[in-house]
mmCIF file of all heavy atoms in Angstrom:
data_model
loop_
_atom_site.group_PDB
_atom_site.id
_atom_site.type_symbol
_atom_site.label_atom_id
_atom_site.label_comp_id
_atom_site.label_asym_id
_atom_site.label_seq_id
_atom_site.Cartn_x
_atom_site.Cartn_y
_atom_site.Cartn_z
ATOM 1 N N LYS W 290 37.898 56.392 -44.830
ATOM 2 C CA LYS W 290 39.263 56.922 -44.822
ATOM 3 C C LYS W 290 39.426 58.124 -43.906
ATOM 4 O O LYS W 290 40.504 58.366 -43.377
ATOM 5 C CB LYS W 290 39.692 57.312 -46.235
ATOM 6 C CG LYS W 290 39.995 56.151 -47.123
ATOM 7 C CD LYS W 290 40.536 56.637 -48.455
ATOM 8 C CE LYS W 290 40.912 55.476 -49.340
ATOM 9 N NZ LYS W 290 41.477 55.926 -50.608
ATOM 10 N N ASN W 291 38.341 58.906 -43.748
ATOM 11 C CA ASN W 291 38.457 60.111 -42.925
ATOM 12 C C ASN W 291 37.080 60.593 -42.467
ATOM 13 O O ASN W 291 36.050 60.074 -42.898
ATOM 14 C CB ASN W 291 39.186 61.222 -43.687
ATOM 15 C CG ASN W 291 38.525 61.538 -45.008
ATOM 16 O OD1 ASN W 291 37.312 61.734 -45.091
ATOM 17 N ND2 ASN W 291 39.319 61.596 -46.068
ATOM 18 N N ASP W 292 37.088 61.604 -41.597
ATOM 19 C CA ASP W 292 35.848 62.150 -41.058
ATOM 20 C C ASP W 292 34.952 62.735 -42.144
ATOM 21 O O ASP W 292 33.731 62.615 -42.069
ATOM 22 C CB ASP W 292 36.139 63.252 -40.030
ATOM 23 C CG ASP W 292 36.679 62.727 -38.714
ATOM 24 O OD1 ASP W 292 36.761 61.492 -38.527
ATOM 25 O OD2 ASP W 292 37.021 63.563 -37.857
ATOM 26 N N ALA W 293 35.549 63.374 -43.141
ATOM 27 C CA ALA W 293 34.748 64.013 -44.188
ATOM 28 C C ALA W 293 33.897 62.990 -44.944
ATOM 29 O O ALA W 293 32.714 63.231 -45.201
ATOM 30 C CB ALA W 293 35.649 64.776 -45.157
ATOM 31 N N LEU W 294 34.480 61.839 -45.271
ATOM 32 C CA LEU W 294 33.724 60.804 -45.973
ATOM 33 C C LEU W 294 32.651 60.193 -45.069
ATOM 34 O O LEU W 294 31.526 59.925 -45.511
ATOM 35 C CB LEU W 294 34.661 59.713 -46.486
ATOM 36 C CG LEU W 294 35.599 60.135 -47.612
ATOM 37 C CD1 LEU W 294 36.581 59.015 -47.922
ATOM 38 C CD2 LEU W 294 34.819 60.528 -48.845
ATOM 39 N N ALA W 295 32.987 59.965 -43.808
ATOM 40 C CA ALA W 295 32.017 59.411 -42.869
ATOM 41 C C ALA W 295 30.854 60.376 -42.663
ATOM 42 O O ALA W 295 29.691 59.975 -42.660
ATOM 43 C CB ALA W 295 32.695 59.121 -41.533
ATOM 44 N N LYS W 296 31.182 61.650 -42.529
ATOM 45 C CA LYS W 296 30.148 62.663 -42.316
ATOM 46 C C LYS W 296 29.245 62.779 -43.545
ATOM 47 O O LYS W 296 28.028 62.917 -43.417
ATOM 48 C CB LYS W 296 30.809 64.013 -42.000
ATOM 49 C CG LYS W 296 29.893 65.019 -41.398
ATOM 50 C CD LYS W 296 30.687 66.224 -40.913
ATOM 51 C CE LYS W 296 29.783 67.272 -40.326
ATOM 52 N NZ LYS W 296 30.526 68.421 -39.816
ATOM 53 N N ARG W 297 29.819 62.697 -44.751
ATOM 54 C CA ARG W 297 29.024 62.768 -45.974
ATOM 55 C C ARG W 297 28.046 61.586 -46.045
ATOM 56 O O ARG W 297 26.876 61.759 -46.371
ATOM 57 C CB ARG W 297 29.931 62.767 -47.196
ATOM 58 C CG ARG W 297 29.140 62.814 -48.505
ATOM 59 C CD ARG W 297 30.037 62.972 -49.702
ATOM 60 N NE ARG W 297 30.865 61.786 -49.888
ATOM 61 C CZ ARG W 297 31.856 61.719 -50.765
ATOM 62 N NH1 ARG W 297 32.187 62.758 -51.502
ATOM 63 N NH2 ARG W 297 32.549 60.615 -50.885
ATOM 64 N N ASN W 298 28.498 60.383 -45.712
ATOM 65 C CA ASN W 298 27.634 59.217 -45.735
ATOM 66 C C ASN W 298 26.528 59.330 -44.680
ATOM 67 O O ASN W 298 25.371 58.994 -44.935
ATOM 68 C CB ASN W 298 28.455 57.947 -45.512
ATOM 69 C CG ASN W 298 27.633 56.712 -45.704
ATOM 70 O OD1 ASN W 298 27.162 56.424 -46.793
ATOM 71 N ND2 ASN W 298 27.428 55.978 -44.621
ATOM 72 N N PHE W 299 26.884 59.806 -43.492
ATOM 73 C CA PHE W 299 25.920 60.004 -42.408
ATOM 74 C C PHE W 299 24.863 61.020 -42.839
ATOM 75 O O PHE W 299 23.664 60.799 -42.669
ATOM 76 C CB PHE W 299 26.677 60.485 -41.159
ATOM 77 C CG PHE W 299 25.839 60.640 -39.922
ATOM 78 C CD1 PHE W 299 25.208 59.553 -39.347
ATOM 79 C CD2 PHE W 299 25.731 61.869 -39.296
ATOM 80 C CE1 PHE W 299 24.468 59.689 -38.183
ATOM 81 C CE2 PHE W 299 24.997 62.020 -38.132
ATOM 82 C CZ PHE W 299 24.366 60.926 -37.572
ATOM 83 N N LYS W 300 25.293 62.127 -43.434
ATOM 84 C CA LYS W 300 24.395 63.166 -43.933
ATOM 85 C C LYS W 300 23.433 62.587 -44.963
ATOM 86 O O LYS W 300 22.224 62.819 -44.905
ATOM 87 C CB LYS W 300 25.201 64.307 -44.547
ATOM 88 C CG LYS W 300 24.389 65.387 -45.206
ATOM 89 C CD LYS W 300 25.329 66.418 -45.847
ATOM 90 C CE LYS W 300 24.601 67.582 -46.450
ATOM 91 N NZ LYS W 300 23.917 67.280 -47.705
ATOM 92 N N ASN W 301 23.951 61.804 -45.910
ATOM 93 C CA ASN W 301 23.109 61.191 -46.934
ATOM 94 C C ASN W 301 22.067 60.260 -46.323
ATOM 95 O O ASN W 301 20.915 60.239 -46.748
ATOM 96 C CB ASN W 301 23.956 60.433 -47.954
ATOM 97 C CG ASN W 301 24.743 61.352 -48.852
ATOM 98 O OD1 ASN W 301 24.405 62.516 -49.018
ATOM 99 N ND2 ASN W 301 25.814 60.836 -49.421
ATOM 100 N N ALA W 302 22.456 59.483 -45.326
ATOM 101 C CA ALA W 302 21.520 58.564 -44.669
ATOM 102 C C ALA W 302 20.408 59.332 -43.966
ATOM 103 O O ALA W 302 19.227 58.974 -44.077
ATOM 104 C CB ALA W 302 22.267 57.675 -43.675
ATOM 105 N N ILE W 303 20.761 60.399 -43.262
ATOM 106 C CA ILE W 303 19.758 61.203 -42.556
ATOM 107 C C ILE W 303 18.816 61.861 -43.562
ATOM 108 O O ILE W 303 17.591 61.866 -43.380
ATOM 109 C CB ILE W 303 20.431 62.265 -41.660
ATOM 110 C CG1 ILE W 303 21.287 61.592 -40.578
ATOM 111 C CG2 ILE W 303 19.409 63.212 -41.055
ATOM 112 C CD1 ILE W 303 20.554 60.608 -39.691
ATOM 113 N N GLU W 304 19.360 62.404 -44.640
ATOM 114 C CA GLU W 304 18.521 63.041 -45.657
ATOM 115 C C GLU W 304 17.565 62.039 -46.291
ATOM 116 O O GLU W 304 16.411 62.364 -46.551
ATOM 117 C CB GLU W 304 19.388 63.711 -46.718
ATOM 118 C CG GLU W 304 20.053 64.972 -46.217
ATOM 119 C CD GLU W 304 20.983 65.620 -47.227
ATOM 120 O OE1 GLU W 304 21.263 65.009 -48.287
ATOM 121 O OE2 GLU W 304 21.430 66.746 -46.954
ATOM 122 N N GLN W 305 18.015 60.808 -46.530
ATOM 123 C CA GLN W 305 17.147 59.790 -47.116
ATOM 124 C C GLN W 305 15.993 59.431 -46.177
ATOM 125 O O GLN W 305 14.865 59.228 -46.618
ATOM 126 C CB GLN W 305 17.944 58.534 -47.482
ATOM 127 C CG GLN W 305 18.834 58.721 -48.681
ATOM 128 C CD GLN W 305 18.052 59.182 -49.910
ATOM 129 O OE1 GLN W 305 17.046 58.597 -50.281
ATOM 130 N NE2 GLN W 305 18.509 60.262 -50.519
ATOM 131 N N ILE W 306 16.275 59.358 -44.887
ATOM 132 C CA ILE W 306 15.215 59.097 -43.908
ATOM 133 C C ILE W 306 14.187 60.221 -43.955
ATOM 134 O O ILE W 306 12.979 59.979 -43.974
ATOM 135 C CB ILE W 306 15.791 58.943 -42.485
ATOM 136 C CG1 ILE W 306 16.620 57.662 -42.386
ATOM 137 C CG2 ILE W 306 14.673 58.943 -41.441
ATOM 138 C CD1 ILE W 306 17.451 57.562 -41.129
ATOM 139 N N CYS W 307 14.664 61.451 -44.008
ATOM 140 C CA CYS W 307 13.764 62.601 -44.047
ATOM 141 C C CYS W 307 12.944 62.633 -45.339
ATOM 142 O O CYS W 307 11.731 62.872 -45.304
ATOM 143 C CB CYS W 307 14.548 63.901 -43.901
ATOM 144 S SG CYS W 307 15.306 64.107 -42.288
ATOM 145 N N LEU W 308 13.583 62.380 -46.462
ATOM 146 C CA LEU W 308 12.888 62.406 -47.743
ATOM 147 C C LEU W 308 11.869 61.279 -47.868
ATOM 148 O O LEU W 308 10.876 61.411 -48.576
ATOM 149 C CB LEU W 308 13.885 62.355 -48.900
ATOM 150 C CG LEU W 308 14.740 63.609 -49.064
ATOM 151 C CD1 LEU W 308 15.816 63.394 -50.111
ATOM 152 C CD2 LEU W 308 13.874 64.812 -49.419
ATOM 153 N N ALA W 309 12.112 60.183 -47.163
ATOM 154 C CA ALA W 309 11.179 59.065 -47.183
ATOM 155 C C ALA W 309 9.958 59.348 -46.314
ATOM 156 O O ALA W 309 9.017 58.576 -46.278
ATOM 157 C CB ALA W 309 11.872 57.789 -46.713
ATOM 158 N N GLY W 310 10.001 60.473 -45.603
ATOM 159 C CA GLY W 310 8.869 60.846 -44.765
ATOM 160 C C GLY W 310 8.850 60.170 -43.414
ATOM 161 O O GLY W 310 7.813 60.072 -42.778
ATOM 162 N N ASN W 311 10.000 59.694 -42.960
ATOM 163 C CA ASN W 311 10.054 58.956 -41.707
ATOM 164 C C ASN W 311 10.780 59.637 -40.546
ATOM 165 O O ASN W 311 11.092 58.981 -39.574
ATOM 166 C CB ASN W 311 10.707 57.591 -41.938
ATOM 167 C CG ASN W 311 9.898 56.733 -42.854
ATOM 168 O OD1 ASN W 311 8.680 56.794 -42.840
ATOM 169 N ND2 ASN W 311 10.565 55.940 -43.659
ATOM 170 N N PRO W 312 11.088 60.915 -40.589
ATOM 171 C CA PRO W 312 11.866 61.477 -39.477
ATOM 172 C C PRO W 312 11.145 61.429 -38.137
ATOM 173 O O PRO W 312 11.784 61.452 -37.097
ATOM 174 C CB PRO W 312 12.140 62.916 -39.906
ATOM 175 C CG PRO W 312 11.120 63.212 -40.937
ATOM 176 C CD PRO W 312 10.798 61.907 -41.601
ATOM 177 N N ASP W 313 9.803 61.331 -38.155
ATOM 178 C CA ASP W 313 9.076 61.224 -36.887
ATOM 179 C C ASP W 313 9.150 59.809 -36.321
ATOM 180 O O ASP W 313 9.093 59.609 -35.116
ATOM 181 C CB ASP W 313 7.612 61.623 -37.069
ATOM 182 C CG ASP W 313 7.463 63.095 -37.462
ATOM 183 O OD1 ASP W 313 8.331 63.903 -37.067
ATOM 184 O OD2 ASP W 313 6.493 63.415 -38.164
ATOM 185 N N LYS W 314 9.264 58.807 -37.201
ATOM 186 C CA LYS W 314 9.325 57.414 -36.760
ATOM 187 C C LYS W 314 10.737 57.017 -36.367
ATOM 188 O O LYS W 314 10.936 56.177 -35.508
ATOM 189 C CB LYS W 314 8.820 56.498 -37.873
ATOM 190 C CG LYS W 314 7.352 56.706 -38.175
ATOM 191 C CD LYS W 314 6.900 55.821 -39.305
ATOM 192 C CE LYS W 314 5.454 56.143 -39.647
ATOM 193 N NZ LYS W 314 5.004 55.445 -40.824
ATOM 194 N N VAL W 315 11.711 57.600 -37.029
ATOM 195 C CA VAL W 315 13.111 57.347 -36.717
ATOM 196 C C VAL W 315 13.621 58.592 -35.987
ATOM 197 O O VAL W 315 13.491 59.699 -36.492
ATOM 198 C CB VAL W 315 13.931 57.106 -38.011
ATOM 199 C CG1 VAL W 315 15.383 56.887 -37.676
ATOM 200 C CG2 VAL W 315 13.361 55.929 -38.771
ATOM 201 N N PRO W 316 14.186 58.440 -34.814
ATOM 202 C CA PRO W 316 14.587 59.605 -34.017
ATOM 203 C C PRO W 316 15.852 60.279 -34.548
ATOM 204 O O PRO W 316 16.868 60.356 -33.869
ATOM 205 C CB PRO W 316 14.806 59.015 -32.629
ATOM 206 C CG PRO W 316 15.291 57.623 -32.916
ATOM 207 C CD PRO W 316 14.528 57.185 -34.140
ATOM 208 N N VAL W 317 15.789 60.788 -35.792
ATOM 209 C CA VAL W 317 16.997 61.302 -36.423
ATOM 210 C C VAL W 317 17.642 62.438 -35.645
ATOM 211 O O VAL W 317 18.862 62.545 -35.617
ATOM 212 C CB VAL W 317 16.764 61.723 -37.888
ATOM 213 C CG1 VAL W 317 16.523 60.519 -38.764
ATOM 214 C CG2 VAL W 317 15.641 62.720 -38.016
ATOM 215 N N ARG W 318 16.856 63.278 -35.024
ATOM 216 C CA ARG W 318 17.435 64.406 -34.280
ATOM 217 C C ARG W 318 18.229 63.942 -33.056
ATOM 218 O O ARG W 318 19.021 64.693 -32.510
ATOM 219 C CB ARG W 318 16.355 65.387 -33.871
ATOM 220 C CG ARG W 318 15.711 66.081 -35.052
ATOM 221 C CD ARG W 318 14.677 67.113 -34.619
ATOM 222 N NE ARG W 318 13.898 67.580 -35.735
ATOM 223 C CZ ARG W 318 14.270 68.549 -36.570
ATOM 224 N NH1 ARG W 318 15.426 69.134 -36.401
ATOM 225 N NH2 ARG W 318 13.489 68.921 -37.565
#
Side-chain angles (χ1 to χ4, degrees):
K290 286 185 177 182
N291 56 49
D292 287 355
L294 291 174
K296 196 171 179 178
R297 179 173 67 188
N298 187 65
F299 184 63
K300 175 183 184 286
N301 289 338
I303 298 304
E304 287 177 351
Q305 288 304 309
I306 292 168
C307 293
L308 291 172
N311 296 326
D313 296 331
K314 295 178 185 173
V315 178
V317 290
R318 294 183 191 276

